[in-house]
Amino acid sequence: MQTYTSVLTAPEPDMTWRENALCAQAGPEFFFPAPGSSTREAKQLCGACEGRVACLEYALAHDERFGVWGGLSEKERGRLKRQSR
């Protein structure tokens, strides 16, 4: 009888996009505004960030439910997920 030992683990996500992300230069309150506050400035900063696509992919893959990720709000990410089904 042969014995197999394996550890099933999910691969570590590539987080190198965070090293040069523009959000690292702004505080978290900028991307996690109070309910009803504008997300316009955060989205503008995301639009200029080279890590935007990777950030959005990370948020969608990890079901981030709060804040602006990859230039999209919670509602916009939810809409995108529903459309992609």
Side-chain angles (χ1 to χ4, degrees):
M1 182 163 115
Q2 210 170 11
T3 309
Y4 294 96
T5 354
S6 69
V7 177
L8 298 176
T9 58
E12 288 292 319
D14 179 12
M15 301 295 284
T16 56
W17 57 270
R18 294 180 92 179
E19 294 170 10
N20 297 317
L22 295 177
C23 60
Q25 299 169 21
E29 64 280 350
F30 197 70
F31 295 90
F32 297 91
S37 298
S38 175
T39 58
R40 183 175 20 153
E41 292 84 11
K43 289 178 179 183
Q44 287 175 335
L45 191 59
C46 289
C49 183
E50 61 187 50
R52 186 185 70 78
V53 172
C55 176
L56 179 57
E57 289 173 349
Y58 175 85
L60 293 171
H62 293 87
D63 200 26
E64 290 289 347
R65 296 187 182 180
F66 302 100
V68 174
W69 289 80
L72 298 182
S73 68
E74 305 96 353
K75 288 181 183 179
E76 293 165 329
R77 288 191 310 276
R79 212 172 305 132
L80 182 64
K81 282 185 102 166
R82 284 189 299 278
Q83 289 173 353
S84 66
R85 289 183 192 169

Short mmCIF file of all heavy atoms in Angstrom, two decimals, residues 6-55:
data_model
loop_
_atom_site.label_atom_id
_atom_site.label_comp_id
_atom_site.label_asym_id
_atom_site.label_seq_id
_atom_site.Cartn_x
_atom_site.Cartn_y
_atom_site.Cartn_z
N SER A 6 0.18 14.99 1.03
CA SER A 6 0.16 16.26 0.32
C SER A 6 -0.63 17.25 1.15
O SER A 6 -1.55 16.90 1.87
CB SER A 6 -0.46 16.13 -1.06
OG SER A 6 -1.83 15.87 -0.94
N VAL A 7 -0.21 18.45 1.04
CA VAL A 7 -0.91 19.52 1.74
C VAL A 7 -1.58 20.36 0.67
O VAL A 7 -0.93 20.88 -0.23
CB VAL A 7 0.07 20.38 2.56
CG1 VAL A 7 -0.66 21.53 3.21
CG2 VAL A 7 0.78 19.53 3.58
N LEU A 8 -2.89 20.43 0.76
CA LEU A 8 -3.62 21.23 -0.21
C LEU A 8 -3.72 22.66 0.29
O LEU A 8 -4.37 22.93 1.29
CB LEU A 8 -5.02 20.66 -0.43
CG LEU A 8 -5.08 19.25 -1.00
CD1 LEU A 8 -6.52 18.79 -1.08
CD2 LEU A 8 -4.43 19.22 -2.37
N THR A 9 -3.03 23.53 -0.38
CA THR A 9 -3.09 24.93 -0.01
C THR A 9 -3.31 25.75 -1.27
O THR A 9 -2.86 25.40 -2.34
CB THR A 9 -1.79 25.41 0.66
OG1 THR A 9 -0.70 25.18 -0.23
CG2 THR A 9 -1.55 24.69 1.97
N ALA A 10 -4.00 26.82 -1.10
CA ALA A 10 -4.20 27.74 -2.22
C ALA A 10 -2.90 28.48 -2.46
O ALA A 10 -2.17 28.80 -1.51
CB ALA A 10 -5.31 28.73 -1.89
N PRO A 11 -2.58 28.74 -3.70
CA PRO A 11 -1.35 29.49 -3.97
C PRO A 11 -1.47 30.90 -3.40
O PRO A 11 -2.55 31.47 -3.36
CB PRO A 11 -1.27 29.52 -5.50
CG PRO A 11 -2.65 29.23 -5.97
CD PRO A 11 -3.32 28.43 -4.90
N GLU A 12 -0.36 31.40 -2.96
CA GLU A 12 -0.33 32.75 -2.43
C GLU A 12 -0.63 33.73 -3.56
O GLU A 12 -0.06 33.62 -4.64
CB GLU A 12 1.04 33.07 -1.83
CG GLU A 12 1.32 32.36 -0.53
CD GLU A 12 0.42 32.85 0.58
OE1 GLU A 12 0.18 34.06 0.69
OE2 GLU A 12 -0.05 32.00 1.35
N PRO A 13 -1.53 34.68 -3.34
CA PRO A 13 -1.81 35.65 -4.40
C PRO A 13 -0.60 36.55 -4.63
O PRO A 13 0.14 36.85 -3.70
CB PRO A 13 -3.00 36.44 -3.87
CG PRO A 13 -2.99 36.24 -2.40
CD PRO A 13 -2.32 34.91 -2.15
N ASP A 14 -0.41 36.98 -5.86
CA ASP A 14 0.67 37.90 -6.19
C ASP A 14 0.29 39.28 -5.70
O ASP A 14 -0.65 39.89 -6.20
CB ASP A 14 0.90 37.90 -7.70
CG ASP A 14 2.01 38.85 -8.11
OD1 ASP A 14 2.76 39.34 -7.23
OD2 ASP A 14 2.15 39.11 -9.31
N MET A 15 0.98 39.76 -4.71
CA MET A 15 0.64 41.04 -4.11
C MET A 15 1.66 42.13 -4.45
O MET A 15 1.67 43.18 -3.83
CB MET A 15 0.56 40.88 -2.59
CG MET A 15 -0.48 39.87 -2.12
SD MET A 15 -2.15 40.35 -2.51
CE MET A 15 -2.41 41.59 -1.28
N THR A 16 2.51 41.89 -5.43
CA THR A 16 3.53 42.87 -5.77
C THR A 16 2.94 44.20 -6.26
O THR A 16 3.59 45.23 -6.16
CB THR A 16 4.50 42.33 -6.83
OG1 THR A 16 3.76 41.92 -7.98
CG2 THR A 16 5.30 41.16 -6.29
N TRP A 17 1.71 44.16 -6.77
CA TRP A 17 1.06 45.39 -7.22
C TRP A 17 0.93 46.40 -6.10
O TRP A 17 0.91 47.61 -6.33
CB TRP A 17 -0.31 45.10 -7.84
CG TRP A 17 -1.26 44.37 -6.94
CD1 TRP A 17 -1.40 43.03 -6.84
CD2 TRP A 17 -2.17 44.94 -6.02
NE1 TRP A 17 -2.36 42.72 -5.91
CE2 TRP A 17 -2.86 43.88 -5.39
CE3 TRP A 17 -2.50 46.25 -5.66
CZ2 TRP A 17 -3.83 44.09 -4.43
CZ3 TRP A 17 -3.47 46.45 -4.69
CH2 TRP A 17 -4.12 45.38 -4.09
N ARG A 18 0.89 45.93 -4.88
CA ARG A 18 0.71 46.83 -3.74
C ARG A 18 1.94 47.68 -3.46
O ARG A 18 1.84 48.75 -2.87
CB ARG A 18 0.35 46.03 -2.49
CG ARG A 18 -1.00 45.36 -2.62
CD ARG A 18 -1.34 44.59 -1.40
NE ARG A 18 -2.08 45.47 -0.51
CZ ARG A 18 -2.56 45.10 0.66
NH1 ARG A 18 -2.36 43.88 1.10
NH2 ARG A 18 -3.24 45.93 1.40
N GLU A 19 3.10 47.20 -3.90
CA GLU A 19 4.34 47.93 -3.63
C GLU A 19 4.35 49.32 -4.26
O GLU A 19 4.89 50.25 -3.69
CB GLU A 19 5.54 47.12 -4.11
CG GLU A 19 5.73 45.83 -3.33
CD GLU A 19 6.76 44.92 -3.95
OE1 GLU A 19 7.48 45.34 -4.87
OE2 GLU A 19 6.85 43.77 -3.49
N ASN A 20 3.79 49.44 -5.45
CA ASN A 20 3.78 50.73 -6.14
C ASN A 20 2.39 51.34 -6.23
O ASN A 20 2.19 52.31 -6.97
CB ASN A 20 4.35 50.56 -7.56
CG ASN A 20 5.80 50.13 -7.52
OD1 ASN A 20 6.58 50.65 -6.74
ND2 ASN A 20 6.15 49.18 -8.34
N ALA A 21 1.44 50.78 -5.52
CA ALA A 21 0.06 51.26 -5.59
C ALA A 21 -0.04 52.67 -5.02
O ALA A 21 0.57 53.00 -3.99
CB ALA A 21 -0.85 50.32 -4.83
N LEU A 22 -0.79 53.50 -5.70
CA LEU A 22 -0.96 54.88 -5.25
C LEU A 22 -1.73 54.96 -3.94
O LEU A 22 -1.57 55.92 -3.19
CB LEU A 22 -1.68 55.69 -6.34
CG LEU A 22 -0.90 55.86 -7.65
CD1 LEU A 22 -1.74 56.62 -8.67
CD2 LEU A 22 0.42 56.56 -7.41
N CYS A 23 -2.55 53.96 -3.65
CA CYS A 23 -3.33 53.99 -2.41
C CYS A 23 -2.43 53.92 -1.18
O CYS A 23 -2.83 54.36 -0.11
CB CYS A 23 -4.35 52.86 -2.38
SG CYS A 23 -3.66 51.20 -2.50
N ALA A 24 -1.22 53.40 -1.34
CA ALA A 24 -0.30 53.33 -0.21
C ALA A 24 0.12 54.72 0.25
O ALA A 24 0.59 54.88 1.37
CB ALA A 24 0.92 52.50 -0.58
N GLN A 25 -0.05 55.70 -0.63
CA GLN A 25 0.34 57.08 -0.30
C GLN A 25 -0.82 57.87 0.33
O GLN A 25 -0.64 58.98 0.77
CB GLN A 25 0.83 57.79 -1.56
CG GLN A 25 2.04 57.11 -2.16
CD GLN A 25 2.37 57.65 -3.53
OE1 GLN A 25 1.97 58.74 -3.90
NE2 GLN A 25 3.10 56.88 -4.30
N ALA A 26 -2.00 57.29 0.31
CA ALA A 26 -3.18 57.93 0.91
C ALA A 26 -3.62 57.07 2.09
O ALA A 26 -3.32 55.89 2.16
CB ALA A 26 -4.30 58.03 -0.11
N GLY A 27 -4.33 57.64 2.99
CA GLY A 27 -4.80 56.89 4.15
C GLY A 27 -5.97 55.99 3.81
O GLY A 27 -6.66 56.19 2.80
N PRO A 28 -6.21 54.98 4.63
CA PRO A 28 -7.31 54.05 4.37
C PRO A 28 -8.68 54.72 4.34
O PRO A 28 -9.57 54.28 3.63
CB PRO A 28 -7.21 53.03 5.50
CG PRO A 28 -6.37 53.66 6.54
CD PRO A 28 -5.50 54.67 5.85
N GLU A 29 -8.84 55.82 5.08
CA GLU A 29 -10.13 56.50 5.10
C GLU A 29 -10.48 57.06 3.72
O GLU A 29 -11.64 57.28 3.41
CB GLU A 29 -10.14 57.63 6.15
CG GLU A 29 -9.18 58.76 5.89
CD GLU A 29 -7.73 58.47 6.30
OE1 GLU A 29 -7.47 57.45 6.96
OE2 GLU A 29 -6.86 59.26 5.94
N PHE A 30 -9.49 57.25 2.89
CA PHE A 30 -9.69 57.73 1.52
C PHE A 30 -10.42 56.67 0.69
O PHE A 30 -11.26 56.98 -0.13
CB PHE A 30 -8.31 58.03 0.92
CG PHE A 30 -8.33 58.89 -0.30
CD1 PHE A 30 -8.67 60.23 -0.22
CD2 PHE A 30 -7.99 58.37 -1.52
CE1 PHE A 30 -8.67 61.03 -1.35
CE2 PHE A 30 -7.98 59.16 -2.66
CZ PHE A 30 -8.33 60.49 -2.57
N PHE A 31 -10.10 55.39 0.91
CA PHE A 31 -10.67 54.29 0.14
C PHE A 31 -11.80 53.57 0.88
O PHE A 31 -12.47 52.71 0.31
CB PHE A 31 -9.57 53.30 -0.25
CG PHE A 31 -8.60 53.93 -1.19
CD1 PHE A 31 -7.49 54.59 -0.72
CD2 PHE A 31 -8.85 53.92 -2.55
CE1 PHE A 31 -6.61 55.21 -1.59
CE2 PHE A 31 -7.98 54.54 -3.43
CZ PHE A 31 -6.86 55.19 -2.95
N PHE A 32 -11.98 53.90 2.15
CA PHE A 32 -13.07 53.34 2.95
C PHE A 32 -13.82 54.50 3.59
O PHE A 32 -13.79 54.68 4.81
CB PHE A 32 -12.50 52.39 4.02
CG PHE A 32 -11.81 51.20 3.44
CD1 PHE A 32 -10.45 51.23 3.17
CD2 PHE A 32 -12.52 50.04 3.13
CE1 PHE A 32 -9.81 50.13 2.62
CE2 PHE A 32 -11.89 48.94 2.58
CZ PHE A 32 -10.52 48.99 2.32
N PRO A 33 -14.49 55.31 2.75
CA PRO A 33 -15.17 56.50 3.28
C PRO A 33 -16.39 56.14 4.12
O PRO A 33 -16.93 55.03 4.02
CB PRO A 33 -15.57 57.26 2.01
CG PRO A 33 -15.72 56.20 0.97
CD PRO A 33 -14.68 55.15 1.32
N ALA A 34 -16.82 57.10 4.90
CA ALA A 34 -18.03 56.91 5.71
C ALA A 34 -19.22 56.68 4.77
O ALA A 34 -19.24 57.19 3.65
CB ALA A 34 -18.26 58.14 6.57
N PRO A 35 -20.20 55.91 5.22
CA PRO A 35 -21.38 55.68 4.39
C PRO A 35 -22.00 56.99 3.90
O PRO A 35 -22.14 57.94 4.66
CB PRO A 35 -22.34 54.94 5.34
CG PRO A 35 -21.45 54.28 6.33
CD PRO A 35 -20.30 55.24 6.51
N GLY A 36 -22.29 57.03 2.62
CA GLY A 36 -22.88 58.21 2.01
C GLY A 36 -21.86 59.23 1.52
O GLY A 36 -22.23 60.17 0.84
N SER A 37 -20.59 59.03 1.85
CA SER A 37 -19.55 59.95 1.39
C SER A 37 -19.15 59.62 -0.04
O SER A 37 -19.35 58.52 -0.53
CB SER A 37 -18.31 59.85 2.29
OG SER A 37 -18.62 60.22 3.60
N SER A 38 -18.55 60.59 -0.68
CA SER A 38 -18.14 60.43 -2.08
C SER A 38 -16.91 59.52 -2.20
O SER A 38 -16.01 59.55 -1.36
CB SER A 38 -17.81 61.79 -2.68
OG SER A 38 -17.30 61.64 -3.98
N THR A 39 -16.90 58.74 -3.26
CA THR A 39 -15.74 57.89 -3.57
C THR A 39 -15.01 58.43 -4.80
O THR A 39 -14.09 57.80 -5.29
CB THR A 39 -16.19 56.44 -3.84
OG1 THR A 39 -17.13 56.43 -4.91
CG2 THR A 39 -16.79 55.80 -2.60
N ARG A 40 -15.43 59.59 -5.27
CA ARG A 40 -14.88 60.15 -6.51
C ARG A 40 -13.37 60.31 -6.48
O ARG A 40 -12.68 59.92 -7.42
CB ARG A 40 -15.54 61.48 -6.82
CG ARG A 40 -15.09 62.09 -8.13
CD ARG A 40 -15.85 63.34 -8.46
NE ARG A 40 -16.46 63.90 -7.26
CZ ARG A 40 -16.73 65.16 -7.08
NH1 ARG A 40 -16.48 66.01 -8.01
NH2 ARG A 40 -17.28 65.59 -5.97
N GLU A 41 -12.83 60.88 -5.41
CA GLU A 41 -11.39 61.12 -5.34
C GLU A 41 -10.61 59.80 -5.32
O GLU A 41 -9.57 59.68 -5.97
CB GLU A 41 -11.03 61.95 -4.11
CG GLU A 41 -11.54 63.38 -4.19
CD GLU A 41 -12.98 63.52 -3.73
OE1 GLU A 41 -13.54 62.56 -3.15
OE2 GLU A 41 -13.57 64.60 -3.96
N ALA A 42 -11.11 58.83 -4.59
CA ALA A 42 -10.45 57.52 -4.54
C ALA A 42 -10.45 56.88 -5.93
O ALA A 42 -9.44 56.33 -6.38
CB ALA A 42 -11.13 56.61 -3.53
N LYS A 43 -11.57 56.97 -6.63
CA LYS A 43 -11.67 56.40 -7.97
C LYS A 43 -10.73 57.10 -8.95
O LYS A 43 -10.15 56.46 -9.82
CB LYS A 43 -13.10 56.46 -8.47
CG LYS A 43 -14.02 55.50 -7.74
CD LYS A 43 -15.43 55.65 -8.26
CE LYS A 43 -16.38 54.71 -7.59
NZ LYS A 43 -17.73 54.81 -8.15
N GLN A 44 -10.58 58.41 -8.79
CA GLN A 44 -9.66 59.15 -9.65
C GLN A 44 -8.22 58.69 -9.42
O GLN A 44 -7.46 58.51 -10.36
CB GLN A 44 -9.78 60.65 -9.42
CG GLN A 44 -11.05 61.24 -9.99
CD GLN A 44 -11.21 62.71 -9.65
OE1 GLN A 44 -10.67 63.20 -8.66
NE2 GLN A 44 -11.96 63.41 -10.48
N LEU A 45 -7.86 58.50 -8.16
CA LEU A 45 -6.52 58.03 -7.84
C LEU A 45 -6.31 56.62 -8.41
O LEU A 45 -5.27 56.33 -9.00
CB LEU A 45 -6.30 58.04 -6.33
CG LEU A 45 -4.87 57.82 -5.85
CD1 LEU A 45 -3.95 58.89 -6.40
CD2 LEU A 45 -4.82 57.82 -4.34
N CYS A 46 -7.31 55.77 -8.27
CA CYS A 46 -7.23 54.41 -8.83
C CYS A 46 -7.03 54.45 -10.34
O CYS A 46 -6.28 53.65 -10.90
CB CYS A 46 -8.49 53.62 -8.53
SG CYS A 46 -8.69 53.14 -6.81
N GLY A 47 -7.71 55.38 -11.00
CA GLY A 47 -7.62 55.49 -12.44
C GLY A 47 -6.22 55.79 -12.93
O GLY A 47 -5.85 55.45 -14.06
N ALA A 48 -5.40 56.41 -12.08
CA ALA A 48 -4.03 56.75 -12.44
C ALA A 48 -3.03 55.70 -11.96
O ALA A 48 -1.83 55.82 -12.21
CB ALA A 48 -3.67 58.11 -11.84
N CYS A 49 -3.50 54.66 -11.30
CA CYS A 49 -2.62 53.67 -10.68
C CYS A 49 -2.36 52.49 -11.63
O CYS A 49 -3.30 51.91 -12.18
CB CYS A 49 -3.25 53.15 -9.39
SG CYS A 49 -2.19 51.99 -8.49
N GLU A 50 -1.09 52.12 -11.77
CA GLU A 50 -0.75 51.00 -12.65
C GLU A 50 -1.16 49.65 -12.05
O GLU A 50 -1.21 48.66 -12.76
CB GLU A 50 0.74 51.00 -12.97
CG GLU A 50 1.65 50.86 -11.77
CD GLU A 50 3.11 51.03 -12.09
OE1 GLU A 50 3.46 52.03 -12.76
OE2 GLU A 50 3.91 50.16 -11.67
N GLY A 51 -1.47 49.61 -10.79
CA GLY A 51 -1.89 48.36 -10.16
C GLY A 51 -3.40 48.17 -10.11
O GLY A 51 -3.90 47.23 -9.50
N ARG A 52 -4.14 49.05 -10.77
CA ARG A 52 -5.61 49.04 -10.69
C ARG A 52 -6.22 47.71 -11.08
O ARG A 52 -7.08 47.19 -10.37
CB ARG A 52 -6.19 50.16 -11.56
CG ARG A 52 -7.68 50.31 -11.43
CD ARG A 52 -8.24 51.32 -12.39
NE ARG A 52 -8.19 50.87 -13.76
CZ ARG A 52 -9.06 50.00 -14.29
NH1 ARG A 52 -10.02 49.51 -13.56
NH2 ARG A 52 -8.95 49.64 -15.54
N VAL A 53 -5.81 47.13 -12.18
CA VAL A 53 -6.41 45.88 -12.64
C VAL A 53 -6.12 44.75 -11.66
O VAL A 53 -7.02 43.99 -11.29
CB VAL A 53 -5.91 45.53 -14.06
CG1 VAL A 53 -6.38 44.15 -14.48
CG2 VAL A 53 -6.39 46.58 -15.05
N ALA A 54 -4.87 44.65 -11.20
CA ALA A 54 -4.52 43.60 -10.23
C ALA A 54 -5.28 43.80 -8.93
O ALA A 54 -5.71 42.82 -8.30
CB ALA A 54 -3.01 43.60 -9.98
N CYS A 55 -5.45 45.03 -8.52
CA CYS A 55 -6.19 45.34 -7.30
C CYS A 55 -7.65 44.90 -7.44
O CYS A 55 -8.20 44.27 -6.53
CB CYS A 55 -6.11 46.85 -7.04
SG CYS A 55 -7.07 47.44 -5.64
#
